[in-house]
Amino acid sequence: MLILGIETSCDETAAAVVSDGRVIVSEELATQSGVHGKYGGVVPELASRGHVETIDRVVSRALEKAGVDSGAVNAVAVTAGPGLAGALLVGISFAKAFAYALGRPLMGINHLEGHIVAPILSGHELRYPAIALIVSGGHTHLYYVEAFGRYRLIGRTIDDAAGEAFDKAASCLGLGYPGGPAIDHLGAQGDSTRFVFPRPMMRVSPHGVHGRFDMSFSGLKTAFVKAVRESGPGNGAHADLAAGFQQAVVDVLIEKTVAAAGFYKVREVILGGGVAANSRLRVVMTERAVLEGFRVVLPTPRHCTDNAAMIAVAAFHRSSADLSSSLDLNAEPSWSL
Ligand code: KG4
Ligand code: ZN
């Protein structure tokens, strides 16, 4: 079973051919970070235009690399949401035309479900029930996953997404966009105890379930901007600032995830989304998992960030439930799991 996956929800134009829902036959990705870099974030109109300009080449290259004729593709899967409406529509329109021309089923896939199943690409078998932490530029969501396709949102950021906080912190240090990888790199050389930043809402209230696993990152961002200003330019504090900031984000994400795993008595924790590529988060989460007695499953760093292979994996699991979309598939910019 060969599935062609297509992903254009944000600023990466991606296509992949995946066999039997787990083996990557080929993948191709065109990033637009150069286009959006000078604006400090993704500009929706430019993202749509970028996808229009590259999608044909990206899909052709993925098929070429796979060494298969397009006729060998059994189904076409495309991200239908959540994401930027215009950007999503480029991938959807392309996928529709492709599926129609080939006479193959078209499947609209939820991007977040893609992030949840991404560890399968590194050979992991997902065991349910699980807690999934999806942390990216647009999402900081904790899910209780009862089984594939059955998700309950149990916590989320009440303001900024963790990736957004990384991007803003990086931009404040003049590190460019996307900022997460830059803070990760710089923070590794710094002392995380020199600047201690607030960890908003980190303690899990023992009273009531409502809001118990929610998070907040905007206060941290404000504290960071203030600390950068006070430390002055070029005094060698940047690595320590980055390390302190990163540690604060990591602490919040880990406390909430560990608390959720304990509350729901699950032994499986799945991480996904761009911020799951963060080296410090990966190390500390893995250490905590050993202490707390759960297993943490991590995608490879390059499959934490947006990619099309994860969309094909989700489609494969959906296909067994026979849930194919029709050609009137539309973009769902705010599609929740
Ligand atoms: O999942 P993703 O590629 O796109 C969205 O769906 O948003 O995530 C992108 C986000 C950006 O905010 C980026 O700065 C962050 O993930 N990110 C990281 C790292 N790599 C990417 N954040 C922290 N550490 C990293 N190594
Ligand atoms: Zn994403």
Side-chain angles (χ1 to χ4, degrees), residues 174-191:
L175 295 174
Y177 175 86
I183 295 271
D184 191 344
H185 187 72
L186 185 63
Q189 302 151 39
D191 170 7

Side-chain angles (χ1 to χ4, degrees), residues 124-311:
H124 291 294
E125 204 69 62
L126 301 184
R127 301 178 202 146
Y128 305 108
I131 293 294
L133 172 69
I134 304 304
V135 259
S136 69
H139 295 89
T140 301
H141 285 29
L142 259 178
Y143 294 96
Y144 173 74
V145 187
E146 202 182 318
F148 173 80
R150 297 172 68 97
Y151 311 101
R152 192 182 333 151
L153 181 64
I154 57 168
R156 56 177 301 175
T157 177
I158 58 163
D159 40 57
D160 294 352
E164 197 181 345
F166 267 102
D167 293 335
K168 285 177 182 162
S171 125
C172 184
L173 294 178
L175 295 174
Y177 175 86
I183 295 271
D184 191 344
H185 187 72
L186 185 63
Q189 302 151 39
D191 170 7
S192 65
T193 59
R194 178 168 163 203
F195 297 95
V196 177
F197 292 107
R199 276 110 168 113
M201 297 173 70
M202 186 165 86
R203 288 235 299 279
V204 178
S205 153
H207 310 292
V209 177
H210 184 71
R212 161 187 279 229
F213 302 117
D214 282 348
M215 292 160 264
S216 161
F217 295 100
S218 81
L220 167 61
K221 177 188 67 193
T222 311
F224 183 78
V225 172
K226 189 163 164 275
V228 172
R229 211 175 283 139
E230 282 166 6
S231 72
N235 65 353
H238 284 191
D240 295 341
L241 283 160
F245 170 84
Q246 175 167 268
Q247 192 60 47
V249 177
V250 166
D251 283 351
V252 173
L253 294 174
I254 288 185
E255 279 324 307
K256 292 288 173 165
T257 307
V258 168
F263 183 82
Y264 288 96
K265 299 188 173 53
V266 309
R267 316 260 322 250
E268 179 96 346
V269 167
I270 303 166
L271 252 56
V275 180
N278 184 267
S279 341
R280 187 83 194 127
L281 177 64
R282 296 170 78 92
V283 168
V284 183
M285 187 68 97
T286 305
E287 288 168 358
R288 268 308 273 284
V290 174
L291 287 177
E292 309 280 344
F294 59 77
R295 184 178 84 129
V296 57
V297 278
L298 295 162
T300 56
R302 63 179 295 236
H303 291 116
C304 286
T305 46
D306 290 350
N307 65 88
M310 69 184 193
I311 301 304

Side-chain angles (χ1 to χ4, degrees), residues 16 18 34 47 57 60 102-103 123 189 209 234 248 320 325:
V18 173
R57 181 166 45 85
S60 309
L102 291 178
Q189 302 151 39
V209 177
S320 48
S325 316

